Amino acid sequence: MNQHLRQLIYSRFPIHRITLCLLRVSTTLTKSIKNSYDIGKFSYWFLTGWGLFWVLTWIILVSTSGQALSQTLPLFNQLTFDNLPSVSQSGSITIPPEVQGQVDYNLSRTWQKGQSIDSFLKLGDFQNSFQLQQLTLNEIEQTIGQSFANLTLSNFELLRQQTLENLLTIIPQLENKTLSQIPLIQDLLKAQGYQISSVLNQPLKKLTKQNPKLNQLSLNQLDLSQYPFDDLPGLTSVPLEKFTGWQNVSLASIPGLSFLPFANFPNPPQLSSGIVAKIDWVLSDVEQPATKTISGSDRLGYNVSCQQNCAHIELGDNPVVAGQQWVSGKYQSVEGGHGFLSGMFNGVEPTGRHPFGPGFKVVVWDIDEVTGTVSTAWFFRVCQKGLFNLGCSPYGIGPIPAFTYKENDWIFLGP
């Protein structure tokens, strides 16, 4: 068992504490019964042995489950949006006008089966979860170990949405550069018919102050494929959230972002503590009802019963959750979301759990009882918080294919 995994399991099930706790329980129970019923030595030792049996059971559980779980836990230092599977089914999001009017980017979208998820997931989708907008291109470049030197500014879609005023605001050092030092801005002015020969040595700050109309010139009027990143010094040090329109661009349009490991996100998925269990049974949707569930939503809790079409996995080998059921979100929907945005996706989301925090929801998806296999999927949500807190939508952006398990595999359930 590697050190990280041992810390993970022990943080939930520290052996020395469990041992001490169970010994105390066993001793207290034995003394209580002995005092109340004047039991003999045989019963005393029987009960003591019973307590020790459970101590050993817990120790074996922690050891064996940790070893098996190391093969199924996501390695967030290697997992990226690029290496997640493509979407397994087509889908779309249609937002009511009254909701869309309250949000600062376009939530509606459509995707096709086989499409890469980074092509339709937007930066704004993660502003309150992974907080990807806090990243700079420099940080992305250094983390993934790939240079952007051979890229042109056309590879950075956000730049096309900036005006000259935006550019000088988010990259303050440009204000003191002369026009002659920034060929891109020279070409921008020329493209609009300005004669620049007499002002080449003027700082941009002075130039735009003398002629305020220049501030409204947009970089989308240029062919940005002609300019390398170095033509705008300081660009790669600007947090993405400083650019106008950052919420509405896809992850794939940000250079290198799709290759950034989840562990390097500003607010990465949580992997600190939780429960593990073995998948005892994989049961199809003919099973009903399912009343001993550990699935649901952060709105209703995680023991939402299912009355019909209750495909699920049944858990074992851990006394804490033995016999409990994780119902497939492909068959059961539950209420989700909070605040104004809870009305999105008709107010419901697939039933599931949050083993790795609120950034995404893990959902048991396809169930194959014949082969004893079960696939899982991830679902994302949209939150709008800030000056006006509109809450969060249900987890309705998905399914994003994740991991597949078989009967007798271990699975991480989270807190």
Side-chain angles (χ1 to χ4, degrees), residues 239-390:
L240 297 173
E241 62 187 339
K242 298 294 185 182
F243 292 92
T244 298
W246 64 267
Q247 299 97 326
N248 210 40
V249 298
S250 70
L251 303 183
S253 72
I254 306 295
L257 182 56
S258 297
F259 303 97
L260 187 72
F262 279 47
N264 295 103
F265 291 169
N267 187 34
Q270 300 168 14
L271 188 58
S272 56
S273 64
I275 301 173
V276 296
K278 184 176 283 188
I279 300 174
D280 267 357
W281 300 98
V282 174
L283 300 169
S284 69
D285 60 330
V286 299
E287 297 290 333
Q288 56 189 35
T291 58
K292 297 175 60 179
T293 72
I294 58 164
S295 51
S297 68
D298 62 358
R299 181 172 176 175
L300 297 181
Y302 299 100
N303 56 355
V304 179
S305 297
C306 172
Q307 299 305 317
Q308 59 183 356
N309 298 329
C310 303
H312 64 271
I313 59 174
E314 187 169 312
L315 305 169
D317 271 39
N318 183 336
V320 175
V321 292
Q324 297 195 44
Q325 305 147 324
W326 185 342
V327 178
S328 167
K330 190 172 185 177
Y331 297 91
Q332 183 189 20
S333 296
V334 293
E335 292 181 18
H338 304 275
F340 185 80
L341 294 183
S342 63
M344 289 176 58
F345 308 114
N346 296 316
V348 298
E349 62 189 44
T351 190
R353 293 182 62 81
H354 295 275
F356 311 110
F360 56 90
K361 187 173 190 178
V362 178
V363 175
V364 166
W365 200 242
D366 285 312
I367 295 280
D368 189 335
E369 187 172 349
V370 175
T371 61
T373 59
V374 54
S375 70
T376 59
W378 292 355
F379 282 78
F380 297 94
R381 68 177 177 181
V382 173
C383 295
Q384 181 72 29
K385 299 181 180 180
L387 183 60
F388 300 101
N389 188 347
L390 302 180

Side-chain angles (χ1 to χ4, degrees), residues 160-201:
R160 296 182 56 80
Q161 303 180 36
Q162 311 308 305
T163 64
L164 183 54
E165 182 178 33
N166 297 148
L167 204 61
L168 297 183
T169 299
I170 62 179
I171 313 177
Q173 58 264 47
L174 287 180
E175 290 186 332
N176 297 320
K177 299 284 186 181
T178 63
L179 186 58
S180 62
Q181 293 176 300
I182 312 295
L184 180 147
I185 299 181
Q186 291 180 45
D187 294 344
L188 181 61
L189 269 58
K190 289 178 183 178
Q192 298 303 306
Y194 288 95
Q195 300 296 319
I196 64 171
S197 57
S198 61
V199 294
L200 283 173
N201 293 320

Side-chain angles (χ1 to χ4, degrees), residues 141-153:
E141 182 181 31
Q142 293 169 8
T143 302
I144 67 176
Q146 296 180 11
S147 173
F148 296 162
N150 295 326
L151 298 182
T152 66
L153 293 176

